[in-house]
Amino acid sequence: MTIQTEQPTLRPGPRFPGLDRRTLGPIQVFAQSVSAAAPTAGMVATPTIAASTAGSGTVWSFVIATVVALLIAGCIGQFTRRMAAAGSLYSLAAKGLGPAGAFACACALLVGYALLVSAALAGAAIHLHALLGSTGASAGVSVAATTVLLGVVVAACAVRGIRLSAGVVLLVEGLSITLMLTVFGLLLGGDVSRPPTPSAHAAEPAGAFGGVAAAVVPALAAFIGFESAAALGVEARRPFRSVPRAVMWTAGVAGVMYVCAAAVQVSLTEDARVLPLSVLASAQRLPWVSPLLDAGIASSFLACALATANALVRVLFSLGTEGLAPRGLRRTHRVHRTPHLAIAVALPVTTVLPAAMIVGGVPTERVLDLLLQASTVGYLLAYLLVCLAVPLFLRNIGESTPGPVAVALAVVPVLLIALGAFAVSVPGGAFALTFAVLAAAALAWYGWLRRHLPDRLAGIGVYDETSIADVLDDQPLRTPAPGRYR
């Protein structure tokens, strides 16, 4: 008796034609996630914010935030070890939550990515001006104009190719981390016996549980963007290894850097006060450390803008490929093989937004704070949805085990609390109205798709598969049988 087995059929061509497939090595994929998280900027700003409630317990707040980030990375890894996609987390959430949850995740990602690009461009411009001012030079243009110029640079790098972009973010972020480690080394080697300037922050007593718990929320915000390697699943050379490792290692490495930064700042201050690095440098008579800080932060923000822009345009490219957004967004450059039309749509908007706010009279530091807070809401919602999808996804494919399900169920309440805290922290007025308009637009978009294009909506979350072209090129993308996770 002959036993017939069903053989999976191969697609004639790739699902995401036009992208520069299987070209990025593990270091380049890792650089994407590290740069999007902007650890240098987080090391400088976040410990001081967290210390306003945690005091000398700030280190424990970052330890807890690191554990939470690693748990989120573990949830994302349940998907990225099994599929490669260009749509980042929304393509993953589709396999557990279905069309509605995936669409909500896509909208959250678009808000989070877009606003983080805007915030990073503004942050880079602000600190670049501060650097030039501290060295006696003059930029010759306003902060708003510098933001626009940096946006043009980011757009040009994004169009020129993913390998160039990956190389740029690796170089720039490596420079910024090196500068920051130099700064911390100088501070630790300085005269720590000299009492620092009194802090303006009223901190909780050391070890107060309530203060430490409250500080986990801003500490967790320092990690946003660490998942962005998930948008490079199509372009990574070995996505089922490099992408989950990049996400997990970014959470771990960033966590170690944040914990060390908090520990250094706590050790250099007194009475549960944690002072900004610039104040500590002045107290130790190291005024020339401030230019190094500005250089490091500006570099980190610039790398963050480029890395996050890469993720943003690939989400738009994926939505265009699926027919859920204008089809033109799926078009790629013939030479550079990048989603150049998605770049042409996204980068002008994300660049003009912070520049318009600055021109409109909003203080530059306030622009940065508002954009970072609002983008964090989008990220946390996307993380929440992809973690909720894990148990359903594993059950659907018959691989549900207690460990991954327990991890997902443990991290979901934490993300709900953090999301609520950030939603409350975003100021009312114009920002509340903006979020209301965005939510209404997303619901209208979803309603229109459900009514007019239900088949396309049902197919949301397309992932890459081995094609005949891959086999003929003798470089097959080793992926599970087609349709298994559909």
Side-chain angles (χ1 to χ4, degrees):
M1 182 177 64
T2 302
I3 299 177
Q4 295 183 348
T5 58
E6 181 181 355
Q7 296 295 327
T9 59
L10 295 179
R11 294 177 55 82
R15 281 193 177 273
F16 299 96
L19 291 181
D20 201 6
R21 301 177 74 236
R22 294 171 294 147
T23 59
L24 298 180
I27 298 299
Q28 295 167 311
V29 176
F30 177 61
Q32 165 74 20
S33 274
V34 171
S35 298
T40 300
M43 290 170 69
V44 174
T46 315
T48 307
I49 298 172
S52 64
T53 57
S56 58
T58 301
V59 174
W60 288 109
S61 298
F62 279 96
V63 170
I64 296 171
T66 301
V67 172
V68 173
L70 289 171
L71 293 178
I72 298 171
C75 290
I76 296 172
Q78 295 299 322
F79 298 94
T80 53
R81 286 195 295 270
R82 295 174 168 91
M83 64 186 72
S88 190
L89 301 188
Y90 95 80
S91 297
L92 311 181
K95 308 313 170 189
L97 300 181
F103 186 84
C105 188
C107 293
L109 282 177
L110 290 176
V111 171
Y113 285 157
L115 293 182
L116 184 57
V117 173
S118 297
L121 289 174
I126 291 169
H127 287 280
L128 180 59
H129 271 254
L131 172 62
L132 294 175
S134 63
T135 56
S138 175
V141 293
S142 65
V143 175
T146 303
T147 301
V148 173
L149 291 175
L150 292 176
V152 173
V153 172
V154 167
C157 290
V159 169
R160 290 281 300 184
I162 188 60
R163 283 177 290 183
L164 174 64
S165 294
V168 170
V169 297
L170 179 62
L171 175 63
V172 175
E173 191 61 42
L175 173 63
S176 66
I177 292 174
T178 300
L179 288 173
M180 195 52 51
L181 293 177
T182 301
V183 168
F184 278 104
L186 291 170
L187 291 176
L188 285 174
D191 183 5
V192 297
S193 63
R194 187 179 293 106
T197 304
S199 173
H201 294 283
E204 292 284 331
F209 176 79
V212 171
V216 171
V217 175
L220 185 60
F223 289 87
I224 64 169
F226 78 97
E227 84 306 323
S228 67
L232 301 183
V234 177
E235 293 151 300
R237 192 172 300 139
R238 306 182 71 178
F240 306 122
R241 294 184 61 185
S242 60
V243 172
R245 288 182 179 181
V247 175
M248 182 66 73
W249 275 94
T250 299
V253 170
V256 170
M257 294 174 67
Y258 296 149
V259 170
C260 291
V264 170
Q265 289 176 257
V266 168
S267 69
L268 294 177
T269 54
E270 300 174 346
D271 301 328
R273 296 191 301 264
V274 177
L275 304 178
L277 291 179
S278 58
V279 175
L280 293 172
S282 298
Q284 295 188 16
R285 298 178 183 175
L286 299 172
W288 47 271
V289 166
S290 292
L292 291 181
L293 283 173
D294 288 321
I297 297 172
S299 300
S300 185
F301 270 132
L302 184 59
C304 174
L306 179 54
T308 309
N310 285 331
L312 171 62
V313 299
R314 277 152 185 78
V315 171
L316 291 172
F317 167 82
S318 183
L319 290 171
T321 300
E322 295 171 347
L324 302 178
R327 288 286 194 179
L329 295 175
R330 68 178 178 175
R331 295 183 60 183
T332 55
H333 197 281
R334 292 183 179 180
V335 176
H336 304 303
R337 303 181 69 80
T338 52
H340 64 295
L341 288 186
I343 294 170
V345 170
L347 266 298
V349 175
T350 56
T351 301
V352 169
L353 175 60
M357 293 175 68
I358 294 171
V359 172
V362 182
T364 54
E365 294 293 342
R366 183 62 174 162
V367 169
L368 181 58
D369 290 342
L370 291 175
L371 291 173
L372 286 175
Q373 286 180 333
S375 67
T376 301
V377 174
Y379 274 98
L380 292 178
L381 179 57
Y383 295 158
L384 173 64
L385 290 171
V386 79
C387 290
L388 282 172
V390 168
L392 299 172
F393 166 68
L394 294 177
R395 185 191 64 184
N396 291 342
I397 65 174
E399 297 183 14
S400 180
T401 54
V405 173
V407 168
L409 295 179
V411 77
V412 164
V414 178
L415 288 173
L416 281 171
I417 295 172
L419 181 61
F422 268 96
V424 172
S425 69
V426 174
F431 259 73
L433 178 61
T434 301
F435 270 100
V437 170
L438 290 174
L443 288 173
W445 184 11
Y446 178 78
W448 188 88
L449 290 172
R450 187 173 180 179
R451 180 178 179 85
H452 298 283
L453 300 171
D455 292 340
R456 292 183 186 178
L457 185 61
I460 189 173
V462 172
Y463 60 93
D464 200 26
E465 295 177 359
T466 302
S467 67
I468 293 176
D470 292 322
V471 176
L472 294 178
D473 288 342
D474 197 28
Q475 294 179 337
L477 179 66
R478 295 178 176 83
T479 178
R484 185 177 182 185
Y485 306 118
R486 298 300 300 274

